[in-house]
Amino acid sequence: MKLLVIEDEKKLAEYLRRALVEQNYVVDVAADGMNGLHLAREGQYDLILLDVMLPVMDGFTVLRELRRTSKVPVLMLTARDKVEDRVQGLRDGADDYLPKPFALSELLARILALGRRSGQNTAEISGQNVLRVGDLELDLLRRRASRTGIRLDLTAKEFSLLALLMRKQGQVLSRSELAEQVWDMNFDSNTNVVEVAVRRLRAKVDDPFDQKLLRTVRGMGYVLDAEGA
């Protein structure tokens, strides 16, 4: 899928670009409404992530102008989360609305949902639906995890953490990389939430089974693969 991010906050725009590229999306970024509208009209995008508070031309105006000629799905991302703002965005033609701050896992789930709803790139999306490492299987659309056919009961954060580790199977991911991808932009790096989440995930994914998939690499981070420890 090819995505357009229209966001003037540089840190957030770069965060989104990097995170979406990691998920194998092709991503373009525009820093103001006018440039974003131009790219949206000229490019062939499958989905647009659109901020409301933009320089030159605000997001609502961009959306109204875009809807004159295009039906491309638009997901609005904004700190303006009042009901009237959401209603205005939906009335102007937005397909979904996600208030800031948000977790990357929720954003990715909404992107998948909008992709399915629009019927675009169905084969590509379907190919990314199920992840497998050894006898561990993760169905991204049904939000189900299983090992040797046994259903694993995961929390939302554990599911997102496992999905990231499985996408990057065989690669050592640092604590900061996991935090940046699974938790939102306001993640407190001084907490031990990553270690706690990994420990709880391991208790469900590894402890009941003979072969261990999730390993700690001392001084570096965590890796999930079928080689075991």
Side-chain angles (χ1 to χ4, degrees), residues 6-19:
I6 307 177
E7 168 63 60
D8 67 313
E9 187 181 335
K10 291 183 179 180
K11 183 179 179 181
L12 177 57
E14 176 57 22
Y15 169 79
L16 291 174
R17 187 200 64 77
R18 188 168 62 249

Side-chain angles (χ1 to χ4, degrees), residues 13-62:
E14 176 57 22
Y15 169 79
L16 291 174
R17 187 200 64 77
R18 188 168 62 249
L20 292 169
V21 168
E22 287 284 336
Q23 303 300 317
N24 298 316
Y25 294 112
V26 177
V27 184
D28 289 335
V29 177
D32 65 74
M34 185 68 74
N35 188 40
L37 179 60
H38 173 74
L39 288 176
R41 283 173 168 169
E42 297 298 320
Q44 298 294 320
Y45 296 101
D46 300 304
L47 178 69
I48 296 175
L49 308 183
L50 175 63
D51 188 27
V52 171
M53 304 295 288
L54 293 168
V56 186
M57 180 184 292
D58 69 83
F60 291 136
T61 303
V62 171

